[in-house]
Amino acid sequence: MDAADRRPIAARNLGATQKVAAWLVARGASPNGISLAGMAAGLGAGLAFAATDWLPGGAWLFWLLGAALVQARLMANLFDGMVAIGRGVASPVGELFNEVPDRVSDTAVLLGLGVAAGSVALGLAAALAAMATAYVRTTARAAGAPSDFCGPMAKQHRMALATALGVWCAVVPAAWSGGAWAPWTVLAVILAGSLATAWRRLARAAAALEAKP
């Protein structure tokens, strides 16, 4: 993947991050394997969030587990590209492993939050809106526009909200956090923000393409 097509992530430049990536490179870690591990973490996060409704007695633990798995998913998203470049094995097939697991992970996390919120329909709507942001980005790039990772509700923003929600619901008593009110609100924000993001990326792509000679 060309550097211009990579999501800008400040954590790539951290010394600790680079050391972990170098450790993985030295051991011949598979970038595609890391991507699949990230998808497994995303699926696990979705199940954990859903389990807060299925097994309310252990809800606080499932909220924390979901938040941790969301972060594990993001770490995998960070290291798969770094390892691919570090090992010199970046390839077009790697792009599929980069994109498809992300869509699965987003859908799993947001559907899981939908179960927790008592509204699978809202979770599905948020997942479709999140998918639209990626669809616009990849379609615009295929048409010749530059890759656009702008927000206000790009992947890192969606997952930051999911993580914050998990921690909040784990440490704040249900009577204070409003039960299903908190995940419902977060999903509504993700839905609205993702739709705004898809529209913004579409408008920026159209402007970029129209400006081409």
Side-chain angles (χ1 to χ4, degrees), residues 95-205:
E95 180 69 9
L96 293 178
F97 280 89
N98 188 58
E99 291 291 337
V100 175
D102 262 356
R103 306 292 75 78
V104 174
S105 294
D106 270 347
T107 300
V109 169
L110 296 175
L111 280 179
L113 289 179
V115 174
S119 178
V120 174
L122 180 58
L124 179 59
L128 290 173
M131 196 173 296
T133 67
Y135 175 78
V136 170
R137 172 176 55 81
T138 55
T139 301
R141 185 177 64 190
S147 290
D148 191 349
F149 297 97
C150 73
M153 196 55 67
K155 175 177 68 179
Q156 67 271 28
H157 307 130
R158 298 190 297 267
M159 294 303 102
L161 282 177
T163 300
L165 173 67
V167 173
W168 168 265
C169 290
V171 302
V172 176
W176 296 359
S177 62
W181 177 86
W184 195 97
T185 301
V186 166
L187 280 174
V189 170
I190 290 175
L191 171 59
S194 295
L195 291 174
T197 299
W199 176 257
R200 186 182 181 204
R201 290 182 181 181
L202 184 61
R204 285 159 59 108

Side-chain angles (χ1 to χ4, degrees), residues 56-72:
W60 70 271
L61 179 60
F62 289 121
W63 280 119
L64 278 183
L65 177 60
L69 287 171
V70 166
Q71 289 303 303

Side-chain angles (χ1 to χ4, degrees), residues 15-78:
T17 302
Q18 293 178 354
K19 287 180 181 178
V20 172
W23 184 86
L24 291 169
V25 168
R27 281 150 185 79
S30 165
N32 295 342
I34 295 173
S35 297
L36 292 176
M39 183 176 71
L43 290 167
L47 287 172
F49 288 143
T52 63
D53 178 70
W54 299 334
L55 301 167
W60 70 271
L61 179 60
F62 289 121
W63 280 119
L64 278 183
L65 177 60
L69 287 171
V70 166
Q71 289 303 303
R73 175 253 173 125
L74 291 179
M75 287 295 100
N77 290 166
L78 172 65

